[in-house]
Amino acid sequence: MTVSLSIQTKNKWHEQFPKRPYSSLPRPVVPLTEEFKPMTQISRHSHPWSQLAYSCSGVMHIETDDGTFVIPPEQALWIPPEMPHQHYCKNKVSYRSLHIDPLLSEVLGNKVRPLTVDSLLKSLILEISNWPKDYEETAQTQRFILVLLDRLAMAQSNEFFMPTIKDKRLFPIIETLNQDPANKLTIEQWSLKVGASSRTLNRLFNQNYGMGFSRWKQKLRILKSLELLNSNRLQVDISYELGYESTSAFITAFKKQLGCSPKKYLAK
């Protein structure tokens, strides 16, 4: 996941530039609604306001200098001002975004944060997304915005993230498993290919990801499974594509990572 999605597929990306009809926000919060077609790439950009990126359906990937964030439904990404980022939608995505005055959102900090969206936060996002761009600023809209900011500050962070790494010894492993997550090579076999001992490779994975090779590979597979699940793929096909020995092995790994089965995850 540290290799840009732009080179992770043989299909052609359809690049779009972000729509920005204003140089400064005309309202404290400005909603944006988009329906992205498969293989849509929003080119790298930044802006002087904060942003909350949310998917009603479909899985987005958002890349920053720190790494890649996976945004399935019921999750969101908090992006502070002046943070360069780009979006990738391999499949259809129903997108909702809120541009927020940075003075209002200082309490949320200056780091990108993946957030879990509960039912109340979801309702607030969808309600504000339905407001017209030139909505009237009233005591009621102000209350909505203040509650939104409170809920964002309270939202739990999630682990749908893979950081960018710079150690070239890991690049062949990461590139291969991004292309083929079912690859069966062990860390000992990889050590022969990249010219570093298995102990060194595990140390590098712990330094860069906070986990060893086996746990990293498991997390990579689960992150990839989110997109496959949201594309209505059968669990048996997903299990095979990701290299699990059986569907039950995939379900067990999914529960361990996300705390529920794939079926219950989709039901949310």
Side-chain angles (χ1 to χ4, degrees):
M1 302 294 288
T2 57
V3 181
S4 174
L5 264 74
S6 61
I7 59 173
Q8 282 188 35
T9 176
K10 295 179 181 178
N11 297 326
K12 183 180 179 181
W13 290 98
H14 305 292
E15 186 173 8
Q16 295 182 14
F17 292 96
K19 295 178 181 178
R20 191 179 304 171
Y22 40 77
S23 57
S24 60
L25 292 183
R27 295 291 187 274
V29 175
V30 177
L32 296 175
T33 300
E34 294 278 357
E35 300 297 325
F36 290 131
K37 297 178 180 179
M39 299 306 295
T40 296
Q41 173 189 354
I42 306 300
S43 58
R44 182 178 168 90
H45 63 285
S46 63
H47 31 66
W49 45 79
S50 308
Q51 180 180 8
L52 183 71
Y54 174 73
S55 170
C56 295
S57 65
V59 176
M60 289 186 297
H61 293 75
I62 298 180
E63 292 184 2
T64 71
D65 291 339
D66 291 332
T68 299
F69 296 85
V70 182
I71 315 298
E74 312 311 320
Q75 310 294 325
L77 189 67
W78 170 255
I79 306 172
E82 308 296 351
M83 177 64 67
H85 58 282
Q86 56 186 331
H87 300 234
Y88 291 92
C89 304
K90 291 179 70 176
N91 297 296
K92 183 179 178 181
V93 169
S94 184
Y95 178 63
R96 303 294 181 268
S97 176
L98 302 179
H99 288 172
I100 304 174
D101 188 321
L103 294 179
L104 286 176
S105 56
E106 284 181 344
V107 66
L108 296 171
N110 58 1
K111 292 185 178 180
V112 181
R113 287 178 59 210
L115 303 174
T116 297
V117 176
D118 63 17
S119 57
L120 176 54
L121 180 53
K122 177 181 179 179
S123 296
L124 289 165
I125 293 170
L126 295 182
E127 168 65 25
I128 295 174
S129 294
N130 286 327
W131 292 357
K133 299 290 190 297
D134 58 348
Y135 63 85
E136 184 179 356
E137 295 183 64
T138 64
Q140 184 183 45
T141 60
Q142 185 179 23
R143 287 196 297 271
F144 259 99
I145 291 170
L146 291 176
V147 175
L148 170 74
L149 295 173
D150 282 344
R151 296 304 298 183
L152 288 174
M154 294 170 61
Q156 294 184 343
S157 296
N158 61 57
E159 298 183 356
F160 297 169
F161 170 67
M162 280 290 191
T164 298
I165 57 100
K166 295 181 170 60
D167 196 301
K168 293 182 179 179
R169 288 169 289 185
L170 296 185
F171 280 1
I173 305 174
I174 294 165
E175 282 193 81
T176 299
L177 285 166
N178 269 296
Q179 295 284 352
D180 178 22
N183 183 282
K184 301 293 187 183
L185 290 182
T186 65
I187 192 70
E188 289 78 18
Q189 291 169 319
W190 274 115
S191 71
L192 297 175
K193 283 181 170 291
V194 302
S197 70
S198 58
R199 183 177 178 180
T200 296
L201 291 178
N202 253 321
R203 176 174 55 81
L204 291 173
F205 271 102
N206 275 292
Q207 285 179 353
N208 287 279
Y209 294 110
M211 63 189 75
F213 170 73
S214 295
R215 281 186 59 202
W216 171 85
K217 184 177 178 179
Q218 191 71 268
K219 182 176 181 178
L220 177 75
R221 285 176 168 180
I222 296 302
L223 289 180
K224 286 186 174 293
S225 77
L226 296 176
E227 189 164 32
L228 297 173
L229 286 166
N230 279 278
S231 301
N232 296 319
R233 295 279 297 278
L234 295 175
Q235 289 188 32
V236 62
D237 295 333
I238 295 173
S239 305
Y240 175 78
E241 185 170 334
L242 296 178
Y244 290 99
E245 297 298 327
S246 64
T247 304
S248 60
F250 165 57
I251 293 172
T252 298
F254 194 95
K255 283 182 177 179
K256 187 175 181 180
Q257 189 76 32
L258 297 184
C260 66
S261 68
K263 184 177 181 180
K264 286 186 178 180
Y265 171 81
L266 288 173
K268 292 181 181 181

